[in-house]
Amino acid sequence: MTAVGRPTRDRTGGSATGSTIGAVLARLRPEFPDVTISKIRFLEAEGLVSPERTAAGYRRFSDADIARLRFVLAAQRDHYLPLKVIRERLDAGATVPALTAVPRKAPAIALDAPADRLGRDEVVAHTGVPPALLAELEQYGLVVPDEHGRYDTDGVQIVRMAAALGGYGLEPRHLRAFRAAADRELGLLEQVVAPLYRQRDRKKAAEQARELAGLSVGLHTLLVKTGLRRVTGG
């Protein structure tokens, strides 16, 4: 029997008066493997979650706090929303809005040009980025509109990702390195695919291009993650 006045704790360190930051990490990790205690503290510092503090100064996260953290992490991971937009959405209503989950398995890389295209004002409204940021991304060659000034769905995703990176202090001028790296990778893969196109075997060339694109993205992701682990000691 639990003594009166003493919080009841669960196996992960939670209690009737809230969960410790370690317990929160244990609850979030299965869904967000890359989340860390430093990340949770950063989101708190940014005002996206405000856990209560004990008399000794320890954080105690309520279920509502954990729901907000889950929403923020999913919005960043699945929808590439910048923290400013996430904060505005959270502040706009009393309840945490629902997000459409994105499958975690790696999707096939689609090389065909997307059919849906958005104008400049639509991209700004769709992503929540200021027009000046979109103009900067164009300036540095990260997104390129078509002859009618419209952007395909890949371009819109790039805008979202760039805005999310901006939440960590990375401006469009810093992202030129990504553009340059992508161009170098493209030049290398083109040497493999181009001969098939010249032989007019377009079906086989398209299949090989999709496979190479997926392998290239996977390798790039793993190299970056490995490098960051060396930096963080994780």
Side-chain angles (χ1 to χ4, degrees):
M1 183 179 294
T2 304
V4 176
R6 179 171 296 178
T8 303
R9 296 188 177 276
D10 62 25
R11 295 179 182 177
T12 61
S15 74
T17 56
S19 300
T20 65
I21 194 168
V24 173
L25 183 66
R27 289 177 64 174
L28 294 175
R29 270 276 172 84
E31 188 176 354
F32 306 98
D34 295 329
V35 71
T36 63
I37 285 179
S38 296
K39 173 72 171 182
I40 296 172
R41 288 173 176 160
F42 170 75
L43 294 175
E44 180 189 356
E46 291 294 311
L48 288 154
V49 65
S50 301
E52 293 185 356
R53 295 273 185 161
T54 66
Y58 294 108
R59 297 173 178 83
R60 284 293 183 268
F61 293 82
S62 67
D63 287 343
D65 292 326
I66 297 171
R68 283 176 68 94
L69 285 171
R70 183 173 282 110
F71 173 79
V72 172
L73 294 170
Q76 286 189 308
R77 181 194 66 189
D78 298 340
H79 301 269
Y80 308 106
L81 295 180
L83 291 181
K84 179 183 176 182
V85 173
I86 297 172
R87 187 185 299 108
E88 289 172 352
R89 292 192 179 185
L90 286 171
D91 292 344
T95 58
V96 175
L99 283 175
T100 302
V102 172
R104 299 315 304 153
K105 65 179 182 178
I109 303 296
L111 297 179
D112 298 331
D116 297 331
R117 292 179 179 268
L118 301 178
R120 180 181 299 275
D121 292 341
E122 292 172 307
V123 172
V124 169
H126 201 65
T127 62
V129 304
L133 176 60
L134 182 55
E136 279 192 84
L137 293 173
E138 280 186 37
Q139 177 185 346
Y140 291 111
L142 291 157
V143 291
V144 180
D146 63 18
E147 64 274 15
H148 303 294
R150 300 179 70 81
Y151 304 81
D152 61 27
T153 52
D154 289 338
V156 176
Q157 284 288 74
I158 291 172
V159 172
R160 284 201 182 109
M161 291 184 186
L165 288 168
Y168 295 92
L170 293 175
E171 301 175 6
R173 60 189 175 88
H174 300 132
L175 304 183
R176 288 179 297 180
F178 290 86
R179 173 77 272 173
D183 288 341
R184 286 195 298 270
E185 292 175 17
L186 177 60
L188 182 63
L189 300 181
E190 190 177 12
Q191 296 177 29
V192 179
V193 177
L196 291 176
Y197 275 101
R198 286 197 292 268
Q199 296 169 15
R200 299 183 182 277
D201 192 349
R202 294 187 175 275
K203 182 178 179 181
K204 184 176 180 180
E207 291 175 356
Q208 193 172 82
R210 280 191 290 269
E211 183 176 354
L212 285 170
L215 290 171
S216 176
V217 170
L219 177 60
H220 182 88
T221 300
L222 289 173
L223 289 173
V224 171
K225 288 177 68 174
T226 301
L228 287 175
R229 280 201 298 269
R230 287 199 298 268
V231 174
T232 61

